[in-house]
Amino acid sequence: MAMAPRGPRLTLLLPLILLAATLAQLSEGASYRQFVRQHVDHPKTRAPNDRIYCNLLMQRRGLTRPQCKPTNTFIHTSTHQLRNICGRGGRPVSGNLRDSIRSFSVTTCRVLPGSQPGRCRYRAATGVTRVRVACVRRLPVHLEPTYLP
């Protein structure tokens, strides 16, 4: 008995492989956009004080629903400077983690007890510190926790 040619199977499989590769690249771009939405505020948004700044930015960035995000850090520098951490502006730590060589101005927002989704209240800590990011294809996609007093 003769075996069926394998050519037609390959022509069906190739588009699926290309689709999977394309979706993977799109999701990496989405992770970078999510990183920017959650962590970059440059220039720093003006607010009467840092507490109001946190309440405002956390809500504007969609970090108060479906629940109050417990902690979030905003970095006050350009996306170019942050992308640079994934290259010459950062030092490898382990895996895809890199530490920034330079320090950045940051604001860390921590939720106050009793906050409810949609009505989240935050306290703020500001400072200048190095940051640690996870990089995928030379783009930051995750910010490791930044500890400020």
mmCIF file of all heavy atoms in Angstrom, residues 44-57 60 124 126:
data_model
loop_
_atom_site.group_PDB
_atom_site.id
_atom_site.type_symbol
_atom_site.label_atom_id
_atom_site.label_comp_id
_atom_site.label_asym_id
_atom_site.label_seq_id
_atom_site.Cartn_x
_atom_site.Cartn_y
_atom_site.Cartn_z
ATOM 1 N N LYS A 44 6.163 63.890 34.965
ATOM 2 C CA LYS A 44 5.283 63.546 36.081
ATOM 3 C C LYS A 44 4.034 64.418 36.047
ATOM 4 O O LYS A 44 4.111 65.642 35.889
ATOM 5 C CB LYS A 44 6.012 63.736 37.414
ATOM 6 C CG LYS A 44 5.168 63.313 38.609
ATOM 7 C CD LYS A 44 5.925 63.442 39.913
ATOM 8 C CE LYS A 44 5.020 63.032 41.073
ATOM 9 N NZ LYS A 44 5.703 63.151 42.363
ATOM 10 N N THR A 45 2.887 63.764 36.168
ATOM 11 C CA THR A 45 1.596 64.459 36.215
ATOM 12 C C THR A 45 1.558 65.373 37.443
ATOM 13 O O THR A 45 1.934 64.964 38.547
ATOM 14 C CB THR A 45 0.449 63.429 36.284
ATOM 15 O OG1 THR A 45 0.524 62.601 35.126
ATOM 16 C CG2 THR A 45 -0.908 64.095 36.371
ATOM 17 N N ARG A 46 1.097 66.587 37.240
ATOM 18 C CA ARG A 46 1.014 67.542 38.350
ATOM 19 C C ARG A 46 -0.197 67.240 39.213
ATOM 20 O O ARG A 46 -1.283 66.952 38.707
ATOM 21 C CB ARG A 46 0.944 68.959 37.816
ATOM 22 C CG ARG A 46 2.248 69.364 37.137
ATOM 23 C CD ARG A 46 2.138 70.662 36.422
ATOM 24 N NE ARG A 46 1.727 71.732 37.344
ATOM 25 C CZ ARG A 46 2.053 72.988 37.203
ATOM 26 N NH1 ARG A 46 2.774 73.364 36.175
ATOM 27 N NH2 ARG A 46 1.644 73.889 38.063
ATOM 28 N N ALA A 47 0.009 67.324 40.525
ATOM 29 C CA ALA A 47 -1.067 67.134 41.499
ATOM 30 C C ALA A 47 -0.704 67.953 42.733
ATOM 31 O O ALA A 47 0.485 68.220 42.979
ATOM 32 C CB ALA A 47 -1.213 65.660 41.860
ATOM 33 N N PRO A 48 -1.715 68.350 43.532
ATOM 34 C CA PRO A 48 -1.439 69.175 44.718
ATOM 35 C C PRO A 48 -0.476 68.519 45.708
ATOM 36 O O PRO A 48 0.298 69.201 46.364
ATOM 37 C CB PRO A 48 -2.821 69.378 45.354
ATOM 38 C CG PRO A 48 -3.782 69.194 44.223
ATOM 39 C CD PRO A 48 -3.156 68.181 43.313
ATOM 40 N N ASN A 49 -0.533 67.184 45.824
ATOM 41 C CA ASN A 49 0.405 66.475 46.696
ATOM 42 C C ASN A 49 0.530 65.028 46.202
ATOM 43 O O ASN A 49 -0.207 64.597 45.314
ATOM 44 C CB ASN A 49 -0.015 66.549 48.178
ATOM 45 C CG ASN A 49 -1.380 65.931 48.416
ATOM 46 O OD1 ASN A 49 -1.655 64.805 48.002
ATOM 47 N ND2 ASN A 49 -2.252 66.669 49.108
ATOM 48 N N ASP A 50 1.481 64.288 46.785
ATOM 49 C CA ASP A 50 1.758 62.932 46.306
ATOM 50 C C ASP A 50 0.611 61.960 46.564
ATOM 51 O O ASP A 50 0.398 61.023 45.800
ATOM 52 C CB ASP A 50 3.057 62.411 46.922
ATOM 53 C CG ASP A 50 4.275 63.144 46.385
ATOM 54 O OD1 ASP A 50 4.236 63.581 45.211
ATOM 55 O OD2 ASP A 50 5.270 63.284 47.130
ATOM 56 N N ARG A 51 -0.143 62.150 47.648
ATOM 57 C CA ARG A 51 -1.289 61.275 47.924
ATOM 58 C C ARG A 51 -2.338 61.435 46.836
ATOM 59 O O ARG A 51 -2.846 60.454 46.289
ATOM 60 C CB ARG A 51 -1.879 61.596 49.304
ATOM 61 C CG ARG A 51 -3.065 60.715 49.680
ATOM 62 C CD ARG A 51 -3.673 61.144 51.009
ATOM 63 N NE ARG A 51 -4.026 62.556 51.050
ATOM 64 C CZ ARG A 51 -5.115 63.085 50.487
ATOM 65 N NH1 ARG A 51 -5.948 62.336 49.822
ATOM 66 N NH2 ARG A 51 -5.358 64.382 50.587
ATOM 67 N N ILE A 52 -2.656 62.679 46.498
ATOM 68 C CA ILE A 52 -3.633 62.936 45.435
ATOM 69 C C ILE A 52 -3.088 62.424 44.099
ATOM 70 O O ILE A 52 -3.828 61.859 43.290
ATOM 71 C CB ILE A 52 -3.987 64.433 45.379
ATOM 72 C CG1 ILE A 52 -4.768 64.814 46.640
ATOM 73 C CG2 ILE A 52 -4.789 64.770 44.119
ATOM 74 C CD1 ILE A 52 -5.007 66.306 46.809
ATOM 75 N N TYR A 53 -1.780 62.584 43.886
ATOM 76 C CA TYR A 53 -1.150 62.061 42.677
ATOM 77 C C TYR A 53 -1.432 60.556 42.546
ATOM 78 O O TYR A 53 -1.857 60.082 41.490
ATOM 79 C CB TYR A 53 0.359 62.315 42.713
ATOM 80 C CG TYR A 53 1.115 61.586 41.634
ATOM 81 C CD1 TYR A 53 1.259 62.128 40.361
ATOM 82 C CD2 TYR A 53 1.675 60.327 41.872
ATOM 83 C CE1 TYR A 53 1.938 61.444 39.353
ATOM 84 C CE2 TYR A 53 2.357 59.652 40.881
ATOM 85 C CZ TYR A 53 2.473 60.208 39.629
ATOM 86 O OH TYR A 53 3.133 59.526 38.643
ATOM 87 N N CYS A 54 -1.173 59.803 43.607
ATOM 88 C CA CYS A 54 -1.395 58.352 43.558
ATOM 89 C C CYS A 54 -2.859 58.020 43.310
ATOM 90 O O CYS A 54 -3.176 57.166 42.462
ATOM 91 C CB CYS A 54 -0.916 57.685 44.848
ATOM 92 S SG CYS A 54 0.871 57.418 44.885
ATOM 93 N N ASN A 55 -3.758 58.659 44.039
ATOM 94 C CA ASN A 55 -5.183 58.381 43.848
ATOM 95 C C ASN A 55 -5.598 58.644 42.397
ATOM 96 O O ASN A 55 -6.326 57.853 41.788
ATOM 97 C CB ASN A 55 -6.024 59.223 44.801
ATOM 98 C CG ASN A 55 -5.837 58.819 46.249
ATOM 99 O OD1 ASN A 55 -5.408 57.716 46.561
ATOM 100 N ND2 ASN A 55 -6.146 59.730 47.155
ATOM 101 N N LEU A 56 -5.121 59.737 41.844
ATOM 102 C CA LEU A 56 -5.460 60.133 40.482
ATOM 103 C C LEU A 56 -4.874 59.174 39.437
ATOM 104 O O LEU A 56 -5.581 58.662 38.565
ATOM 105 C CB LEU A 56 -4.954 61.553 40.232
ATOM 106 C CG LEU A 56 -5.169 62.149 38.854
ATOM 107 C CD1 LEU A 56 -6.649 62.414 38.621
ATOM 108 C CD2 LEU A 56 -4.374 63.441 38.722
ATOM 109 N N LEU A 57 -3.564 58.925 39.536
ATOM 110 C CA LEU A 57 -2.904 58.096 38.527
ATOM 111 C C LEU A 57 -3.372 56.645 38.576
ATOM 112 O O LEU A 57 -3.556 56.022 37.521
ATOM 113 C CB LEU A 57 -1.383 58.148 38.690
ATOM 114 C CG LEU A 57 -0.643 59.090 37.757
ATOM 115 C CD1 LEU A 57 -0.513 58.561 36.361
ATOM 116 C CD2 LEU A 57 -1.237 60.469 37.755
ATOM 117 N N ARG A 60 -6.734 56.682 36.854
ATOM 118 C CA ARG A 60 -6.598 56.965 35.418
ATOM 119 C C ARG A 60 -6.011 55.784 34.646
ATOM 120 O O ARG A 60 -6.368 55.553 33.498
ATOM 121 C CB ARG A 60 -5.669 58.166 35.190
ATOM 122 C CG ARG A 60 -6.335 59.477 35.318
ATOM 123 C CD ARG A 60 -5.362 60.560 34.897
ATOM 124 N NE ARG A 60 -5.919 61.877 35.131
ATOM 125 C CZ ARG A 60 -5.232 62.998 35.009
ATOM 126 N NH1 ARG A 60 -3.958 62.971 34.650
ATOM 127 N NH2 ARG A 60 -5.805 64.153 35.229
ATOM 128 N N ALA A 124 1.658 57.604 49.331
ATOM 129 C CA ALA A 124 2.743 57.706 48.353
ATOM 130 C C ALA A 124 4.096 57.767 49.042
ATOM 131 O O ALA A 124 4.226 58.294 50.145
ATOM 132 C CB ALA A 124 2.545 58.962 47.505
ATOM 133 N N THR A 126 8.040 58.792 47.585
ATOM 134 C CA THR A 126 8.806 59.237 46.422
ATOM 135 C C THR A 126 10.290 59.087 46.715
ATOM 136 O O THR A 126 10.711 59.095 47.876
ATOM 137 C CB THR A 126 8.496 60.702 46.065
ATOM 138 O OG1 THR A 126 8.842 61.526 47.180
ATOM 139 C CG2 THR A 126 7.029 60.892 45.720
#
